[in-house]
Amino acid sequence: MTTTPDFLVDALGHQHAPAPAARIVCLVPSITELLCDLGLAGKLVGRTGFCIHPRDVVAAIPKVGGTKDVNIEKIRKLAPTHVVVNIDENAKPTVEELAGFVPHVVVTHPNTPRDNVPLARLMGGIFGAEEAAARWCLAFEAEYAALHASPKGPARTVLYCIWQDPWMTVSKDTYIANMLAELGWRVPDLGTDRYPRFAWSQALVDGLDAVLLSTEPYRFTEEHTDALEKQLGIPVVLVDGEMMSWYGSRALAGLRYLQTLK
C-alpha cells in the first residue's frame, strides 16, 4: 500500500497538502498529458490551447488561452483549487496574478530526464494518484535503463535549433540539452540565456558535428533541413520536438526516440 506524506514539495520548495478533490487548471502541455495518464483527467477544469495530448481526452477540457497569453478571467470563473505552472513555459507576472486568487500554485521545473520521476510522484501525491505515479516511475526507470544498456555512439557537438528569424537554440542547462547529454552529445556555449539567439558563422559551423532542427516550437520541415545542409556543408537532421522537449508522459517515448538518433 502506498502511503501519502503530510505534504509534498514542488520545484520551488512550496509545500502542498494532498488534495484528491482538487479542481486543476494546468498551463503546461506536457504535464496536462501526464495528469491524464495518471487518471486525473476528471479533475482538470482548464488547459491551454497547446495542451493537445491525449487529444480525445483534452477535447472536453475548457481552454484558457496559451502558455504565455493566459486568460486570467477565464481561470477565475473556473474556480480552480490548483494551477500547475512551469518556470520556462509561463510568465512570472501571470503566475503572481494567479496566486492572488488560486489557493495552490504548483510550480514545476524539470531540467533533466531523471527529473520526471519526482515530477510524476509530486503530481500523484498531491492529487491522489500515488499508485498510478509509482507504476509510471517503474516504466520510466525501465526505459532509462534500456537506453543506457544499449551501445553508445560517438560523442558529438550539435546545435539544436528551436526558431529562425531570429535563429535560436538551447543552452546546456535546459531539458533538451540534458536529453542530448544522455547520448553523450553536447551543445555549444552561445551565451548566458537559456534559449540564446545566434548568427551563423564559419567558426560556429566548424565546431559542430551536426545541426538539429526541431519540429517545435518552430515548425521546421525536411525542406528546411535540405536547404540548410546545402548551405552549411554538415549534416542537418529534423528531430521530433515533442520527443525531445516534452517531459512527463512523453518522456517514455522520448527515451526510446533518443536511440534512433545515435
Side-chain angles (χ1 to χ4, degrees):
M1 178 178 292
T2 304
T3 58
T4 304
D6 292 334
F7 60 84
L8 298 109
V9 180
D10 69 15
L12 294 187
H14 302 147
Q15 297 180 0
H16 298 277
R23 292 173 55 83
I24 310 165
V25 168
C26 185
L27 303 182
V28 191
S30 52
I31 297 181
T32 295
E33 182 179 29
L34 176 62
L35 291 171
C36 290
D37 285 353
L38 295 180
L40 296 167
K43 302 182 189 302
L44 282 163
V45 297
R47 63 175 173 105
T48 75
F50 298 105
C51 299
I52 58 174
H53 297 300
R55 293 182 186 274
D56 57 335
V57 176
V58 299
I61 301 170
K63 297 178 185 178
V64 295
T67 55
K68 300 292 190 290
D69 54 342
V70 176
N71 189 314
I72 298 293
E73 289 312 307
K74 280 189 176 181
I75 296 178
R76 193 187 303 272
K77 290 176 182 177
L78 292 169
T81 60
H82 293 71
V83 60
V84 180
V85 300
N86 176 265
I87 288 176
D88 281 338
E89 295 270 7
N90 310 119
K92 186 177 180 182
T94 299
V95 175
E96 290 174 342
E97 188 170 358
L98 291 171
F101 65 89
V102 180
H104 303 283
V105 177
V106 183
V107 182
T108 64
H109 191 218
N111 215 39
T112 73
R114 291 207 60 82
D115 289 343
N116 282 290
V117 171
L119 174 67
R121 288 176 177 159
L122 177 68
M123 295 300 128
I126 293 175
F127 302 121
E130 297 95 334
E131 292 185 3
R135 289 192 297 270
W136 191 92
C137 290
L138 287 174
F140 178 90
E141 295 290 6
E143 292 292 350
Y144 192 83
L147 172 64
H148 286 274
S150 63
K152 284 191 175 182
R156 295 181 178 181
T157 298
V158 297
L159 184 66
Y160 187 103
C161 300
I162 59 172
W163 204 261
Q164 71 168 354
D165 300 326
W167 284 96
M168 295 178 68
T169 184
V170 300
S171 66
K172 63 182 179 180
D173 64 342
T174 56
Y175 183 87
I176 292 169
N178 285 315
M179 280 284 279
L180 293 169
E182 298 291 347
L183 298 176
W185 296 3
R186 63 176 296 274
V187 298
D189 185 359
L190 297 179
T192 58
D193 293 339
R194 284 177 62 77
Y195 301 97
R197 298 183 180 189
F198 70 93
W200 293 105
S201 68
Q202 194 59 51
L204 173 61
V205 174
D206 288 346
L208 301 175
D209 295 298
V211 173
L212 308 180
L213 299 185
S214 177
T215 57
E216 69 160 46
Y218 192 91
R219 294 182 180 178
F220 285 110
T221 67
E222 291 289 359
E223 290 184 4
H224 292 106
T225 63
D226 292 344
L228 191 60
E229 187 166 292
K230 290 176 182 176
Q231 176 185 336
L232 300 180
I234 61 173
V236 179
V237 180
L238 185 70
V239 296
D240 187 323
E242 288 187 1
M243 292 295 102
M244 297 300 299
S245 66
W246 280 43
Y247 36 83
S249 299
R250 207 142 293 248
L252 297 177
L255 292 175
R256 293 192 294 271
Y257 180 75
L258 284 178
Q259 299 204 47
T260 70
L261 299 179
K262 290 183 179 180

